[in-house]
């Protein structure tokens, strides 16, 4: 494999071929997708390496002291040989990256091969194609977060630990001195914490960037405008905190900190700047000077970093790893934006040239990323197993009902979707009895009972599952509970209708199918309603059969979510696409008459948009553009299907058309869009009443769910993911 190294004696930078590290117990082997150059710390090391021996000594007096002690202990000749041997060796660079787990060491159970992780550490997250990373120095990347953004995790943790040391409070005012990479992240973290920020940097471009990212005002340290902004924001008292994120040999930052701080303010040193504290200024204001140690508690502790011994959360709330995970969560939820900080993305093979351009000043940058080549033939293509549904044995668990006996339904959950899109089609329907509604709060159950006529309202799920008179259970809760509730209902021998998604992870999907096998009950329907839409049904019929492969394009103008939406809770509820993407994959597969065999997914730069390409056994392809950046007034869903000289077009379930030898265009629907919920429920109720086949085969539901889950693996690996059905 290749790795960026430097000879500290000569200053030489090189990309060397070195052996692949072994996958030791207690960690994982990670193939790097992107690594981040720390334009502060790393360039300082690169610059020091280019100095004369005297210059190196002046820049590192701490190391000189160690050398002198060694001379006193071991003598000059032995010390000289030791120092020269150490200097004339290659040392690594880098400490912040994102990559894909390639091997899992013994004792690791929180990630698996193919997972996307962010990694930290100047011995473990190096600019190298492969790194072995111990458990407490990596964390899984949230669904939907682009790998290049996750590569900021370590540097973000440094900024976060600095902010934590400042103990910011809502409504306070902070001064950030130095608006490089760390400073820009500190500005955003403080803003997200409800703190107003004034930034200081001699570079007008960096000042402008910080203001765009949330700073109230920024300016040159010598400018009177900075002092004026502080006075205005603090009523003349001075800032509550100062964050020193600057480097260099000037003492100006610490002097400015004292000048603009309030009485008993806090000064936090994050960078490595000169700290000759002016005694009178700091004494008179009784300033609290604090240091921020890298990524957080655990740093430099070998038992934590190498042995994987975590600190109990009750005693140490924010460790290195928890800081790393917290920062990635903020980026994934859009509270911190790292895309504007990316000045340049270089191919890994151009690493030496990139460092040289940074050192010479030819490349002006806040953040620079290395992009690594995809493995060619070394590693098998990513693969997601599609579980095979085992055939049932014995009789149908839900027998056909008599023509006069109503189908008795229970609803678990009565939120917005259930009450607006499902229950209105069931309340008052002939042959259907709304038996029981189950919610976590008593009032929501009572409201649903009053509005839709449920016979009973309860918060006791077990009572419903144990009621043999109930024929079918609807699971319409939040996404995180779908799989477990479905599993319980299947084991209770109920026919189940679960809103999408069926599962958020492969393990959850496997658990549902294990319940099918254990109980012999495969009576399951997932709420993929679009295939039942009357307009799309008619268009498909008029399109007719096809003989050649088809090309399908599906544009989903999803739009932005409102702040506070539970869809944003990716840590517990899964990504937004996992939540609703099954709708569109199911529709494409139904139109193409098959299940997909591979998935390729990419995320355009700086957005939450997704481009997903599905391949089918006959050579057909479906491209789903799932976008959040479109105009709100544009239709949500538009679809085109092209094959055999024919074109089918659907315009947001309002109008459809088919172009072939004869053109057919539907009339505009007179009322609201019909996306198939009523027809879907009718088909489900019929299957429950008659004991006949479910409206959609279980294997198709499983294939759609697996394809939806494979999108994450596709984003992580940057390559098509094979959907391999178990044999």
């Amino acid at each position: 494999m290749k790795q960026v190294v430097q000879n500290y004696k000569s200053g030489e930078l090189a990309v060397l071929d070195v052996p692949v590290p072994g996958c030791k117990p207690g960690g994982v082997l990670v193939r790097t997708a992107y690594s981040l150059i720390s334009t502060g710390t790393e360039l300082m090391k690169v610059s020091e390496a280019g100095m004369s021996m005297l210059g190196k000594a002046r820049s590192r007096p701490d190391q000189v002291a160690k050398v002198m002690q060694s001379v006193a202990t071991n003598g000059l000749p032995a010390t000289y040989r030791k120092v020269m041997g150490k200097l004339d060796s290659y040392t690594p660079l880098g400490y912040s990256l994102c990559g894909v787990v390639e091997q899992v060491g013994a004792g690791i159970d929180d990630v698996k091969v193919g997972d996307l992780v962010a990694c930290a550490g100047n011995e473990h997250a190096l600019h190298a194609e492969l790194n072995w990373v111990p458990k407490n120095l990596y964390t899984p990347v949230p669904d939907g977060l682009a790998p290049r953004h996750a590569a900021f995790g370590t540097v973000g943790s440094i900024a976060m630990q600095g902010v934590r040391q400042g103990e910011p409070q809502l409504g306070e005012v902070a001064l950030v001195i130095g608006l490089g990479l760390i400073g820009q992240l500190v500005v955003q973290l403080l803003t997200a914490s409800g703190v107003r920020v004034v930034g200081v940097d001699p570079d007008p471009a960096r000042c402008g960037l910080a203001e765009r990212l949330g700073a109230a005002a920024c300016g040159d340290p010598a400018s009177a405008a900075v002092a004026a902004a502080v006075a205005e924001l603090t009523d003349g008292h001075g800032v509550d905190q100062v964050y020193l994120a600057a480097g260099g040999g000037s003492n100006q930052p610490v002097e400015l900190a004292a000048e603009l701080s309030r009485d008993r303010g806090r000064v936090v040193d994050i960078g490595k700047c000169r700290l000759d504290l002016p005694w009178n200024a700091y004494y008179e204001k009784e300033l609290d000077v604090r240091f921020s140690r890298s990524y957080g508690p655990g740093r430099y502790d070998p038992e934590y970093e190498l042995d994987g011994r975590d600190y109990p959360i009750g005693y140490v709330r924010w460790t290195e790893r928890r800081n790393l995970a917290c920062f990635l969560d903020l980026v994934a939820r859009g509270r911190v934006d790292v895309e504007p900080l990316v000045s340049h993305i270089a191919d890994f093979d151009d690493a030496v040239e990139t460092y040289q351009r940074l050192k010479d000043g030819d490349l002006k940058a806040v953040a620079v990323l290395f992009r690594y080549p995809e493995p060619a033939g070394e590693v098998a293509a990513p693969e997601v197993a599609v579980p095979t549904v085992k055939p049932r044995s014995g009789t149908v668990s839900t027998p056909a009902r008599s023509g006069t006996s109503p189908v008795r339904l229970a609803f678990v959950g009565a939120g917005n979707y259930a009450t607006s899109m499902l229950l209105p089609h069931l309340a008052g329907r002939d042959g259907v009895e709304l038996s029981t509604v189950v919610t976590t709060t008593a009032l929501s159950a009572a409201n649903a009972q009053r509005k839709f006529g449920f016979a009973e309202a309860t918060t006791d799920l077990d009572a419903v599952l144990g009621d043999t008179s109930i024929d079918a259970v609807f699971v319409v809760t939040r996404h995180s509970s779908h799989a477990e509730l479905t599993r319980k209902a299947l084991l209770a021998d109920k026919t189940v209708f679960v809103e999408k998604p069926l599962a958020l992870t492969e393990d959850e999907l496997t658990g549902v199918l294990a319940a099918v096998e254990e109980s012999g009950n495969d009576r399951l329907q997932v709420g993929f309603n679009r295939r039942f839409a009357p307009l799309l049904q008619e268009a498909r019929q008029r399109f007719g059969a096809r003989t050649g492969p088809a090309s399908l394009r599906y544009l989903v103008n999803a739009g932005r979510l409102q702040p506070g939406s539970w869809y944003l809770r990716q840590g517990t509820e899964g990504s937004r696409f996992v939540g609703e993407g099954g709708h569109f994959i199911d529709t494409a597969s139904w139109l193409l008459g098959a299940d997909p065999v591979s998935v390729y997914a990419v995320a355009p730069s700086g957005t939450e948009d997704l481009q997903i390409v599905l391949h089918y056994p006959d050579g057909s392809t479906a491209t789903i553009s799932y976008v959040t950046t479109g105009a709100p007034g544009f239709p949500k869903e538009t679809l085109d299907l092209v094959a055999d000289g024919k074109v089918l077009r659907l315009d947001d379930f309002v109008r459809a058309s088919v172009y072939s030898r004869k053109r057919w265009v539907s009339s505009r629907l007179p009322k609201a869009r019909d996306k198939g919920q009523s027809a879907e429920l009718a088909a489900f109720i019929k299957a429950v009443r008659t004991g006949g086949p479910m409206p959609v085969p279980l294997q198709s539901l499983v294939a759609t769910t697996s394809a939806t889950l494979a999108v994450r693996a596709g984003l992580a690996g940057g390559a098509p993911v094979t959907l391999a059905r178990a044999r």
Side-chain angles (χ1 to χ4, degrees), residues 125-156:
L126 309 172
H127 297 309
E129 290 180 310
L130 289 157
N131 286 277
W132 178 81
V133 188
K135 180 173 184 176
N136 282 337
L137 292 178
Y138 69 78
T139 191
V141 174
D143 289 341
L145 182 58
R148 67 181 180 282
H149 295 163
F152 280 77
T154 309
V155 177

Side-chain angles (χ1 to χ4, degrees), residues 456-539:
E456 296 182 24
T458 182
T459 58
D460 187 356
L461 173 65
D462 291 337
V464 170
L465 297 181
D467 186 346
T468 57
S469 69
I470 291 175
D471 303 303
V473 172
F474 279 72
V475 175
V476 270
T477 53
R478 290 189 177 180
H479 299 166
S480 57
S481 60
H482 283 191
E484 178 61 15
L485 291 173
T486 298
R487 190 186 67 80
K488 287 183 176 180
L490 289 170
L491 291 173
D493 206 29
K494 305 298 184 187
T495 302
V496 181
F497 182 107
V498 57
E499 253 312 315
K500 46 76 195 162
L502 173 59
L504 296 180
T505 66
E506 289 87 352
D507 288 343
E508 286 187 355
L509 179 58
T510 300
V512 170
L513 295 181
V516 170
E517 182 178 357
E518 178 182 345
S519 64
N521 178 14
D522 61 0
R523 309 287 289 170
L524 176 63
Q525 171 65 19
V526 180
F528 297 143
N529 50 276
R530 282 154 175 78
R531 66 162 66 199
F532 296 93
L535 191 61
L536 192 54
Q537 289 257 349
E538 183 177 1

Side-chain angles (χ1 to χ4, degrees), residues 21 57 65 109 158 166 194 256 274 297 307 349 353 491 597 622 635 653 659:
D109 57 9
I158 294 172
L256 185 63
R274 187 175 175 183
D307 298 341
D349 290 339
E353 177 189 354
L491 291 173
V597 294
F653 300 91
Y659 294 78

Side-chain angles (χ1 to χ4, degrees), residues 317-379:
R317 177 62 182 91
W318 294 108
T319 59
E320 278 185 273
R321 195 185 199 211
R322 292 195 272 267
N323 273 339
L324 185 61
C326 179
F327 180 78
L328 294 182
D329 175 67
L330 289 172
V331 178
R333 291 191 289 118
R335 304 303 300 274
V336 173
D337 188 2
V338 298
E339 182 63 26
L341 306 180
V342 180
S343 306
H344 183 68
I345 299 178
D347 289 334
F348 181 59
D349 290 339
D350 298 329
V352 173
E353 177 189 354
T354 302
Y355 273 113
Q356 195 61 49
R357 290 180 62 200
L358 286 168
K359 180 183 176 184
D360 295 343
D362 296 338
L363 177 59
K364 303 290 185 181
V366 175
V368 175
L369 291 164
F370 286 139
R371 176 178 49 219
Y372 289 71
E374 297 177 9
E378 302 174 20
V379 181

